[in-house]
Amino acid sequence: MDQLIDNVKQVRTNFIESIGGLSAEQLNKIPEGFNNNIIWNMAHLVAAHQGISYLRAGLETFVDKEFYLSYTGGTKPNGIVSEEKIAEIKSLLITTLDQFKVDYHNRIFDNYKGWTTRYGVNLNSIDDATNFLSFHEGMHLGYIMALKRLILKNI
């Protein structure tokens, strides 16, 4: 499982770097035809992982509850995200995975409650949830790349 977590961390690191030249205004921009923006997608990755791992195991999220509720599934951007908050989101993309790896090895997810995702995927253990994470991350990376292309095209 370490390799999978490390892979997700590497992908997150790469897309943090890929948006490094974008301004806060560009990260917050919602192009026509989209419901969200780049920074929402990045924060959503953190919140979604917290939900499908910690909350499903009956645990508290590593991130604060307000952050989780602002970026969980079914939410949309709610105002402009400041440069300070953008830096925090970028940091959380990495630090939450580091903490997750520690928590995984400490077996704190043993009380995982199985469920079925909106995509019809059954997640019956923390291992199932972690494997599903790659699909979810890839989907949102695709959104981020499309958003970035649109934003750079319209400069």
Side-chain angles (χ1 to χ4, degrees):
M1 197 55 62
D2 281 357
Q3 183 65 50
L4 179 60
I5 297 166
D6 291 344
N7 288 346
V8 171
K9 184 177 173 181
Q10 183 60 52
V11 170
R12 286 183 178 188
T13 299
N14 287 347
F15 63 70
I16 289 168
E17 290 172 7
S18 79
I19 58 135
L22 298 178
S23 67
E25 180 182 350
Q26 290 170 316
L27 294 173
N28 279 283
K29 182 160 181 55
I30 303 173
E32 187 175 328
F34 285 81
N35 294 323
N36 50 49
N37 53 37
I38 292 173
I39 200 61
W40 180 92
N41 274 278
M42 294 179 75
H44 172 71
L45 292 175
V46 173
H49 182 231
Q50 296 288 297
I52 70 169
S53 56
Y54 292 88
L55 291 180
R56 291 287 174 177
L59 303 166
E60 294 291 321
T61 57
F62 180 71
V63 298
D64 69 59
K65 192 170 195 140
E66 181 182 334
F67 181 95
Y68 172 77
L69 293 173
S70 295
Y71 297 106
T72 192
T75 65
K76 294 181 181 178
N78 186 14
I80 301 298
V81 177
S82 69
E83 291 201 30
E84 180 179 289
K85 192 72 168 174
I86 290 168
E88 178 187 352
I89 291 166
K90 289 177 181 179
S91 175
L92 286 171
L93 279 163
I94 304 305
T95 59
T96 54
L97 287 176
D98 292 338
Q99 184 63 50
F100 176 71
K101 188 189 276 191
V102 169
D103 293 341
Y104 180 86
H105 285 290
N106 286 333
R107 302 181 53 90
I108 71 167
F109 302 104
D110 286 348
N111 292 323
Y112 195 86
K113 306 288 186 276
W115 62 295
T116 303
T117 71
R118 73 178 86 181
Y119 307 102
V121 178
N122 295 317
L123 304 179
N124 296 310
S125 67
I126 193 60
D127 288 346
D128 290 347
T130 306
N131 282 310
F132 178 76
L133 181 63
S134 290
F135 160 76
H136 186 258
E137 297 269 329
M139 183 177 63
H140 283 279
L141 177 57
Y143 291 145
I144 290 168
M145 291 167 58
L147 288 163
K148 181 181 174 186
R149 277 193 303 272
L150 281 171
I151 290 164
L152 291 177
K153 181 180 177 183
N154 294 320
I155 290 182

